[in-house]
Amino acid sequence: MIPITATAEHTATDTVPVHFKLRKLHSLFGIIPVGLFLIEHLSVNSLAATAGGERVFNAAVGVLRGLPYLIVIEILFIMIPILFHGVYGVFVTTEASVNTGAYRYGRNWMYVIQRVTGLFTFIFVVVHLWNFRIASMINPDLHVTFDLVRQHLAVTWVMVFYIAGVLASVFHFANGIWNFCVSWGITIGPRAQRASAWACAAVGLALSFIGVNALLAFVGKALIISI
């Protein structure tokens, strides 16, 4: 019998807790601050679908651009959490085992869709940040305006990509809320989890409409224009 050394024993007992803590942090970052940033971002974009349209959107972007310590806020509370959530999410996805062929339960399919939308959302966010925020950092003369967004979305394949990105992001967030409530012990039992699923579905539908309607508003095709 080979004796267990102190080092081996330490590794065996500490590996799982570290992974568990990272999973918890990954789950938390998906809601705060990444999820809150998604809601804020869609809310600002939805100003394009108001009666003021271009003027209101540009004014809101100007206020955000004028925030003190903006670059620090963006790096610490947006970019780093998104990077951690995205990279660790890819790691979790590579370890996942798909069992929808053997077990055709709804939650199994939701698990798979969550992973797929997570990967696509990460790519979408990187492209979006590069096109707008990082590009404006590299070129100080480039400012995000209604007209700049309109020029991007006027290209058909870009609009399709952005609609897909918004829908994937919203699904990943809404389903992530359900997962968060279960994993953090907020919804315990089938009844609470069913109620949570309906609530998350409502959130997802609402945010999806707001996001897609805002994208269409930039090219003058909004489904609804709010006062």
Side-chain angles (χ1 to χ4, degrees):
M1 182 175 180
I2 301 175
I4 299 177
T5 64
T7 302
E9 191 176 47
H10 176 78
T11 303
T13 57
D14 283 1
T15 300
V16 174
V18 169
H19 187 59
F20 176 78
K21 291 175 184 177
L22 288 175
R23 289 292 291 266
K24 285 289 189 180
L25 188 61
H26 174 260
S27 174
L28 179 62
F29 273 19
I31 306 300
I32 304 170
V34 176
L36 294 181
F37 171 67
L38 173 64
I39 294 175
E40 180 273 336
H41 205 55
L42 293 179
S43 299
V44 172
N45 287 348
S46 69
L47 296 175
T50 61
E54 182 172 355
R55 174 183 55 81
V56 177
F57 176 81
N58 287 341
V61 172
V63 171
L64 293 175
R65 194 164 53 231
L67 291 175
Y69 311 109
L70 178 61
I71 187 65
V72 176
I73 294 173
E74 288 180 323
I75 291 175
L76 291 181
F77 300 105
I78 298 176
M79 293 184 180
I80 291 178
I82 287 177
L83 186 63
F84 170 76
H85 188 77
V87 171
Y88 191 74
V90 171
F91 170 74
V92 171
T93 300
T94 58
E95 286 195 327
S97 58
V98 179
N99 61 356
T100 52
Y103 305 100
R104 300 181 183 276
Y105 298 113
R107 289 316 308 180
N108 286 346
W109 280 107
M110 295 293 274
Y111 177 87
V112 173
I113 297 172
Q114 182 74 355
R115 297 296 172 261
V116 173
T117 55
L119 289 173
F120 183 75
T121 297
F122 187 47
I123 295 171
F124 169 69
V125 169
V126 170
V127 172
H128 178 62
L129 288 176
W130 178 264
N131 284 339
F132 291 98
R133 190 64 189 107
I134 297 176
S136 63
M137 289 179 178
I138 297 173
N139 181 10
D141 295 328
L142 179 66
H143 300 295
V144 177
T145 63
F146 186 98
D147 190 57
L148 178 64
V149 178
R150 175 169 50 198
Q151 291 176 30
H152 274 78
L153 297 179
V155 181
T156 302
W157 73 266
V158 175
M159 173 63 85
V160 172
F161 176 70
Y162 266 77
I163 290 177
V166 167
L167 293 178
S169 302
V170 169
F171 176 90
H172 192 76
F173 171 61
N175 191 56
I177 296 175
W178 188 90
N179 291 330
F180 175 85
C181 290
V182 172
S183 64
W184 285 77
I186 299 173
T187 51
I188 302 174
R191 184 175 180 179
Q193 291 173 10
R194 280 195 299 270
S196 174
W198 282 108
C200 292
V203 170
L205 289 173
L207 290 179
S208 293
F209 177 81
I210 291 172
V212 172
N213 191 54
L215 292 174
L216 295 175
F218 281 106
V219 293
K221 297 180 180 179
L223 301 174
I224 294 178
I225 297 292
S226 62
I227 300 174

